[in-house]
Amino acid sequence: QVQLVESGGGLVQAGGSLRVSCAGSERTFGNHAVAWFRQAPGKERDFVAAINRSGGGTTYADSVKGRFTISRDNGKSTVYLQMNSLKAEDTAVYFCAARWSATYTPSTSRHEYEHWGQGTQVTVSS
């Protein structure tokens, strides 16, 4: 059972940057694709970005392309989401999720991810 812990959320002004991290508990973390999702109050949990188990394949939601970058360090069992040029509409609770997967292109569907963290709040003030 992979346990995931997010960190790095906080309050930032519009146009600023923030990096959130997702630390995994298992030494098999490197066999898992990892994704970030976000959920604003009263809204669905939406896909943000995902990375395959090696880090060689990534995919992004259109709303964050060119602004956010997902990366991973399997030696540290950690996935990062670097968020630049933040907008007020990026305000949400950010969740990381993991699934055992060998595919090159990671899934964007929250229903396919088995393990979830507790979330970290990101607030962008305008």
Side-chain angles (χ1 to χ4, degrees), residues 36-60:
W36 286 96
F37 294 82
R38 66 187 181 187
Q39 188 167 20
K43 295 192 175 180
E44 297 274 319
R45 189 170 297 189
D46 292 331
F47 170 76
V48 176
I51 190 165
N52 69 5
R53 64 182 189 177
S54 70
T58 58
T59 188
Y60 296 90

Side-chain angles (χ1 to χ4, degrees), residues 55-108:
T58 58
T59 188
Y60 296 90
D62 287 344
S63 59
V64 306
K65 271 181 191 172
R67 299 189 299 123
F68 290 11
T69 303
I70 190 170
S71 62
R72 69 189 297 159
D73 183 341
N74 284 340
K76 295 181 179 179
S77 296
T78 302
V79 169
Y80 305 98
L81 184 68
Q82 177 68 43
M83 303 182 289
N84 299 328
S85 302
L86 282 160
K87 306 174 182 179
E89 51 263 43
D90 294 318
T91 295
V93 177
Y94 283 69
F95 297 89
C96 69
R99 66 185 294 256
W100 189 287
S101 174
T103 61
Y104 180 80
T105 303
S107 172
T108 63

Side-chain angles (χ1 to χ4, degrees), residues 20-31:
V20 291
S21 301
C22 172
S25 62
E26 269 198 9
R27 54 186 171 83
T28 60
F29 186 73
N31 290 325

